[in-house]
Amino acid sequence: MDSILLPNEIEMYIDTMSPQKMQNLGSHQWLEFHQRIQKLNQEALIEVSALKEEHVKETLVCFGKVPILVHEAVLISIWKQKVLPQLLKLEPCPETTIVAYSVLYHEAVSVALLELVLFHPNCCETLEDAAADLLEYSCSNVSQLLSIKPIDPPLNEKSEKEILRQKNNLSFEIGIRCLTIVRYLAENLDGLPVSTKSKIYGDYDVPILFTEILSVAPWIKGNQIYTGGKWRDWDKEQLGQHEAQVWLTLRQLLLDNECSKYYSLTDRHRAQLAKLLPLLTPTLLDQLSPLIELKHWLCRLSVMEKSASQPKPLLIETILDIKEAILKQTEGKWKTIAKKQLSNIFPVERETLHEIAGKLSDAYNTEFLEKFDEAKGDAKCAGCGKDAIQRCSRCHKVWYCNRECQVNHWNEHSTNCSP
């Protein structure tokens, strides 16, 4: 698929990126910024799917702009909790919801781009202090998967109900993407501030959170599984991509050499983690063989005698710089901000609506989305042709459904496998 941005456009878009202010959401200047983030996300999708040089990722790293994507996600998260309810009180039945949806969608686009680029360790390292905000944000959104479910649009839906449904459905998609983001943070803890490791085991207790997520399996709905942003038919055996991310995160955290230093295995932890053993079925282990080590660890844990004294986790105070800066800037004046934003979020003038529609049509580029859905398909195993969930960790170009296929295919792949 052809690129939609030239290299100099990518560099210009990223070089001029700056954190947006709460008061400016929905303005013409903000719509221009949203359009650029959306195009960068589309270009990054093309580069990954076509196995091209990942120019968007490299430029974000080079200019140190990855933390801005975190800022945008946190900003909209606060906006939809604090300002959107005030806007709907001021205008309970808005004539159009196109701008309000774009603000909500901006969060999803920022998270989608983060999910793409954080696959690379050097990108995770550029987060620096923003890693704390990203971890808190991601775990908060993952925890929402325990309760929220996607909602189908009903007939004759009122505008207020439409916005709340869109908010709910985007929260589900963001939570699903955050599963992958937490995995990437877990795999690159050595390159992040020490406080991140302390928080992932301590305050957010990701091992227990992800155990609960597995028990709920929000990516499953009857005979369908959520993958690639869509609900697809499921044979009840094939391992889904999102479930794989959860298992790999648990394996990474629990088998980490420093797990015992940060994670106190209390009676509660043992009881919760024991729920994982029945889920580690032979079918699952065939599809994701690294989990065999995790099963052995859990078996040892179940028969291990309790320690006389549990190690205390290392507690390090963490300041959420991005979130604190946004809250300080807004001073809690949510109603005042809502009044100023009302005409931008719910515009009524026909000329303004036409101009906004033109900008957003160019940003969302439905023709691109249709072509991309047709072209990308599901990743296929290079060994057997089945749906694949793991990329070669060396070249990141070839996909496999399990370890056995990767080993059998190595003689053929080794000649082309290069970092």
Side-chain angles (χ1 to χ4, degrees):
M1 184 180 292
D2 294 335
S3 296
I4 61 172
L5 290 176
L6 297 172
N8 61 333
E9 288 180 305
I10 294 173
E11 292 182 9
M12 188 270 286
Y13 282 6
I14 292 176
D15 186 30
T16 56
M17 281 174 62
S18 60
Q20 298 298 291
K21 294 183 178 180
M22 182 76 73
Q23 293 84 344
N24 292 338
L25 296 181
S27 66
H28 290 291
Q29 176 268 333
W30 179 85
L31 286 169
E32 179 72 25
F33 178 76
H34 172 63
Q35 181 185 41
R36 292 185 176 189
I37 295 294
Q38 170 66 354
K39 286 191 173 184
L40 287 170
N41 182 52
Q42 291 174 350
E43 178 62 27
L45 272 171
I46 292 172
E47 291 172 351
V48 170
S49 61
L51 304 179
K52 296 181 178 180
E53 178 185 355
E54 296 185 39
H55 198 162
V56 173
K57 184 271 294 184
E58 292 296 342
T59 309
L60 283 167
V61 171
C62 181
F63 288 118
K65 300 289 187 174
V66 178
I68 292 181
L69 297 176
V70 180
H71 176 278
E72 295 307 298
V74 174
L75 177 71
I76 306 302
S77 178
I78 295 173
W79 178 86
K80 71 183 183 184
Q81 293 174 26
K82 302 293 187 180
V83 181
L84 181 58
Q86 298 294 334
L87 284 165
L88 292 175
K89 287 181 182 177
L90 295 170
E91 184 56 79
C93 300
E95 293 182 16
T96 176
T97 60
I98 185 173
V99 179
Y101 175 75
S102 297
V103 176
L104 292 171
Y105 189 62
H106 185 72
E107 179 185 8
V109 173
S110 300
V111 172
L113 188 49
L114 278 168
E115 181 190 21
L116 282 171
V117 301
L118 290 177
F119 174 79
H120 303 274
N122 66 332
C123 205
C124 284
E125 291 173 5
T126 62
L127 286 169
E128 297 180 343
D129 292 339
D133 284 275
L134 181 57
L135 180 62
E136 191 267 347
Y137 169 85
S138 299
C139 291
S140 174
N141 279 280
V142 166
S143 65
Q144 291 187 54
L145 294 176
L146 297 172
S147 56
I148 62 173
K149 300 290 182 184
I151 303 171
D152 295 327
L155 295 173
N156 302 319
E157 186 178 34
K158 293 183 179 180
S159 53
E160 180 184 6
K161 296 290 185 181
E162 179 189 7
I163 292 175
L164 295 177
R165 175 181 57 80
Q166 291 170 339
K167 174 189 170 188
N168 176 86
N169 291 355
L170 285 171
S171 293
F172 175 80
E173 182 182 340
I174 289 168
I176 288 290
R177 292 187 182 277
C178 283
L179 292 172
T180 307
I181 290 175
V182 173
R183 177 196 163 191
Y184 294 155
L185 292 176
E187 290 180 343
N188 294 282
L189 285 175
D190 291 340
L192 297 174
V194 176
S195 59
T196 308
K197 182 173 286 191
S198 174
K199 291 292 183 181
I200 207 168
Y201 284 111
D203 288 8
Y204 310 126
D205 201 345
V206 171
I208 299 302
L209 172 61
F210 274 38
T211 299
E212 290 297 317
I213 291 293
L214 283 172
S215 66
V216 173
W219 48 79
I220 300 296
K221 184 173 67 174
N223 294 325
Q224 290 188 310
I225 187 168
Y226 190 78
T227 181
K230 296 180 179 180
W231 291 99
R232 307 174 191 270
D233 292 337
W234 182 51
D235 62 6
K236 296 192 175 182
E237 288 191 355
Q238 180 66 34
L239 176 63
Q241 293 180 349
H242 306 304
E243 183 180 353
Q245 302 291 1
V246 176
W247 279 115
L248 291 171
T249 304
L250 286 168
R251 180 188 180 278
Q252 176 67 33
L253 291 175
L254 295 175
L255 300 188
D256 188 286
N257 292 330
E258 293 194 325
C259 174
S260 59
K261 176 180 176 183
Y262 291 89
Y263 201 52
S264 178
L265 290 170
T266 62
D267 291 343
R268 171 181 168 271
H269 285 153
R270 289 167 178 266
Q272 291 294 319
L273 294 174
K275 297 178 182 179
L276 296 173
L277 274 172
L279 302 177
L280 288 164
T281 62
T283 302
L284 173 61
L285 297 178
D286 284 344
Q287 297 180 72
L288 202 58
S289 57
L291 297 184
I292 295 173
E293 294 175 272
L294 176 61
K295 184 174 183 178
H296 291 164
W297 185 89
L298 290 167
C299 288
R300 290 196 301 270
L301 179 67
S302 64
V303 299
M304 189 185 302
E305 294 184 5
K306 298 179 183 178
S307 303
S309 60
Q310 293 286 352
K312 294 183 179 180
L314 181 62
L315 300 178
I316 300 176
E317 184 178 358
T318 304
I319 298 176
L320 303 175
D321 292 337
I322 292 175
K323 188 174 183 178
E324 291 299 324
I326 293 171
L327 293 175
K328 184 178 180 180
Q329 185 184 79
T330 54
E331 298 179 335
K333 298 178 180 178
W334 311 118
K335 192 171 183 178
T336 302
I337 293 172
K339 287 180 179 179
K340 291 180 179 179
Q341 286 185 350
L342 188 61
S343 60
N344 286 332
I345 301 298
F346 299 133
V348 294
E349 295 182 4
R350 184 172 296 274
E351 290 184 4
T352 303
L353 285 170
H354 275 295
E355 184 180 352
I356 291 171
K359 284 185 177 181
L360 295 178
S361 175
D362 182 45
Y364 296 155
N365 196 350
T366 54
E367 183 180 350
F368 158 80
L369 295 175
E370 290 172 1
K371 287 182 178 179
F372 184 76
D373 282 340
E374 292 173 2
K376 72 172 183 178
D378 289 326
K380 301 297 180 182
C381 175
C384 65
K386 294 180 180 179
D387 290 343
I389 57 174
Q390 300 181 77
R391 274 197 280 185
C392 171
S393 60
R394 188 162 183 259
C395 67
H396 300 154
K397 296 178 181 179
V398 180
W399 292 78
Y400 297 99
C401 63
N402 58 41
R403 178 68 176 169
E404 183 180 359
C405 274
Q406 184 175 13
V407 172
N408 293 338
H409 190 251
W410 175 246
N411 287 337
E412 181 181 343
H413 177 52
S414 60
T415 57
N416 298 319
C417 185
S418 58

